[in-house]
Amino acid sequence: MSEFRPIEGNFQPAGARFAIVVARWNGEITESLLQGALRAFARQGIADDSIEVVRVPGAFELPLAAKKLAETGRIDAVLALGCVIRGGTPHFDYVCSECARGVGEVALTTGMPIAFGVLTTDNLQQAKDRSGDNEENKGEEAALCALEMVSLFQQLNS
Ligand code: INI
């Protein structure tokens, strides 16, 4: 039997602080993603005053706001929440790819976990299906991801 014990995070990092950046585009959906994230945090005992909520115009702006927050020094992880719904032009592809690329770049350049809670869907129904009051909610998934990554980093730093 292997003697290796994997190092992995849990959902209750000590004294952690979070920022949630929410895009206003498709606001009905992104507000539901925010509610999902807040539900997940509350379930894990994260106090409201450990969470900052910041709004930006659209998904394209999420990476820059995440970078700004990461650089404040008062946050341990950022959640980027947005919703891009396919339209009839290539605009969708540009917004999606720049948002995803940017979020990844911010995580790597700042060294901070940035959870990618951005829906990229073909239609409104798909977005509703992934932002409801259940475990499919991608905001909830992003919060759990951020909690786990902060906990993991705390262990790796100790
Ligand atoms: N932003 C979104 O978050 N979702 C969308 O579906 C969307 N569409 O379809 O255009 C969108 N566009 C705005 C974009 O994110 C920027 O805010 C805008 O281009 C200004 O930089």
Side-chain angles (χ1 to χ4, degrees):
M1 208 158 72
S2 167
E3 296 193 359
F4 289 110
R5 192 176 62 84
I7 303 172
E8 56 189 339
N10 57 48
F11 296 134
Q12 282 161 350
R17 294 190 53 84
F18 299 90
I20 309 177
V21 193
V22 189
R24 258 191 239 104
W25 254 85
N26 297 311
E28 179 197 349
I29 301 294
T30 60
E31 286 307 308
S32 297
L33 295 174
L34 173 61
Q35 292 312 314
L38 293 174
R39 271 199 306 276
F41 279 140
R43 213 178 297 129
Q44 299 302 329
I46 304 297
D48 286 353
D49 62 6
S50 300
I51 304 167
E52 298 179 24
V53 176
V54 174
R55 292 182 205 281
V56 295
F60 188 83
E61 283 71 38
L62 289 170
L64 184 58
K67 184 165 190 284
K68 184 78 178 166
L69 283 156
E71 290 169 349
T72 62
R74 61 172 189 262
I75 299 294
D76 296 289
V78 180
L79 279 61
L81 303 182
C83 173
V84 196
I85 299 178
R86 191 180 290 280
T89 72
H91 191 69
F92 170 89
D93 302 290
Y94 289 106
V95 173
C96 290
S97 63
E98 278 311 292
C99 174
R101 190 197 58 76
V103 166
E105 184 181 314
V106 171
L108 292 176
T109 56
T110 62
M112 179 171 289
I114 315 287
F116 187 68
V118 181
L119 297 175
T120 58
T121 66
D122 286 329
N123 54 55
L124 182 60
Q125 188 57 51
Q126 288 177 346
K128 286 183 174 172
D129 291 344
R130 290 157 181 77
S131 58
D133 189 359
N134 56 50
E135 286 179 2
E136 299 297 307
N137 187 304
K138 290 290 172 189
E140 178 165 338
E141 183 182 293
L144 293 175
C145 166
L147 287 164
E148 180 176 345
M149 289 299 287
V150 172
S151 167
L152 175 65
F153 280 19
Q154 286 180 346
Q155 292 184 53
L156 294 177
N157 286 330
S158 68

